[in-house]
Amino acid sequence: MDSVKQGANYVSEQVQKATSGVSKEANKEVAKDSNASIGTRASAAKDAVGDKSKETGHDAKAETHKQAI
């Protein structure tokens, strides 16, 4: 039963990792957009860094759950 729970947690972390990755890429595009204001670009760049951190964290948690299975 524990392996089922670990499997579900693994899938959940993979989904969250993917979501963070999509958000990171979107923020990177905004940060590169020369038509956006400097404030918007700076905010998007900061958010992209945060999303990368979340993506890495979810990947590590997913690997932990995978190993527990």
Side-chain angles (χ1 to χ4, degrees):
M1 188 65 172
D2 192 47
S3 62
V4 172
K5 181 180 177 186
Q6 293 298 335
N9 288 338
Y10 171 78
V11 170
S12 174
E13 291 296 339
Q14 288 292 77
V15 169
Q16 291 176 62
K17 174 186 165 188
T19 301
S20 294
V22 169
S23 180
K24 176 189 74 178
E25 292 302 319
N27 280 316
K28 282 173 51 177
E29 290 304 312
V30 171
K32 292 188 232 177
D33 184 1
S34 62
N35 292 324
S37 72
I38 190 68
T40 299
R41 293 175 71 186
S43 180
K46 177 187 74 72
D47 291 344
V49 170
D51 289 335
K52 176 62 178 173
S53 176
K54 289 178 188 175
E55 184 180 30
T56 302
H58 290 302
D59 189 39
K61 288 179 184 178
E63 186 61 29
T64 300
H65 293 300
K66 183 178 174 183
Q67 294 301 320
I69 297 171

